Amino acid sequence: MTIFEERSWVWQGTGGPRGWEAAWQRTRELLAPVISDDSFVFGDGEASDGAAGLATALYLLAGGSAAAVAGVRRDQVEELVGRRPGGTDGEVVHRWERGLRELGHDPEAADDPVSTRWRVLRTDFGEDDDLTVIEEVLVRQGYGLLSGLRPLLAGRRMSF
């Protein structure tokens, strides 16, 4: 078992709706071939947020239905991650949170694995334009959701 596969069970949390479980299973199928163990040299940060972001996107786009998760397409995920014309990253994050609320999740609930992971994803690490090139690699910026998922979608050849 790879580091990614092992840790993804922790990131998923225990319990939760069948659609959440199906979204994580699909995420493992899509990412296991493309996330290597050396992705974890600097910790879980972007890898965990990218995987959790993908699982959350699959869950949202499937409307919480376990059966519908397999039918979610990459272009739908890319659209969900994208800004609306004139929009901001903050608006993207708020749109996702509204979707989770519509599926019956209270983002502050301590006993909901979807909400627990969401609180990590919605973290805003801020922006700093004065970082050196080396610091840009080491310092997280922006929302966890987007700083994890956007590079994953841009840099990997996943087809779904």
Side-chain angles (χ1 to χ4, degrees):
M1 181 179 289
T2 68
I3 293 173
F4 164 72
E5 292 167 324
E6 180 181 312
R7 291 189 183 170
S8 71
W9 289 100
V10 174
W11 304 331
Q12 175 181 337
T14 56
R18 289 186 188 263
W20 181 244
E21 293 174 14
W24 271 100
Q25 183 56 38
R26 181 73 174 134
T27 296
R28 282 187 277 279
E29 291 168 7
L30 293 170
L31 296 183
V34 297
I35 294 186
S36 64
D37 281 356
D38 59 351
S39 301
F40 298 94
V41 170
F42 295 110
D44 288 0
E46 278 192 15
S48 66
D49 287 351
L54 180 57
T56 305
L58 296 171
Y59 179 70
L60 282 169
L61 290 166
S65 164
V69 167
V72 174
R73 298 181 323 271
R74 181 189 176 108
D75 64 310
Q76 292 175 291
V77 174
E78 290 170 343
E79 184 177 329
L80 190 63
V81 171
R83 293 181 185 170
R84 305 274 195 247
T88 65
D89 284 348
E91 290 169 343
V92 172
V93 172
H94 291 297
R95 188 171 69 237
W96 284 50
E97 187 160 309
R98 276 192 311 274
L100 290 171
R101 286 183 185 279
E102 289 169 7
L103 290 175
H105 299 281
D106 172 4
E108 306 313 319
D111 61 345
D112 178 351
V114 178
S115 297
T116 299
R117 183 49 48 187
W118 175 249
R119 286 191 299 277
V120 175
L121 291 175
R122 74 178 183 191
T123 300
D124 183 357
F125 294 98
E127 298 287 333
D128 187 347
D129 294 334
D130 296 326
L131 297 177
T132 66
V133 173
I134 293 174
E135 289 172 329
E136 285 182 10
V137 172
L138 300 174
V139 176
R140 295 198 64 195
Q141 294 194 66
Y143 292 92
L145 166 70
L146 303 175
S147 69
L149 187 52
R150 284 180 176 158
L152 185 67
L153 290 170
R156 309 280 191 230
R157 293 291 163 224
M158 295 178 295
S159 58
F160 60 101

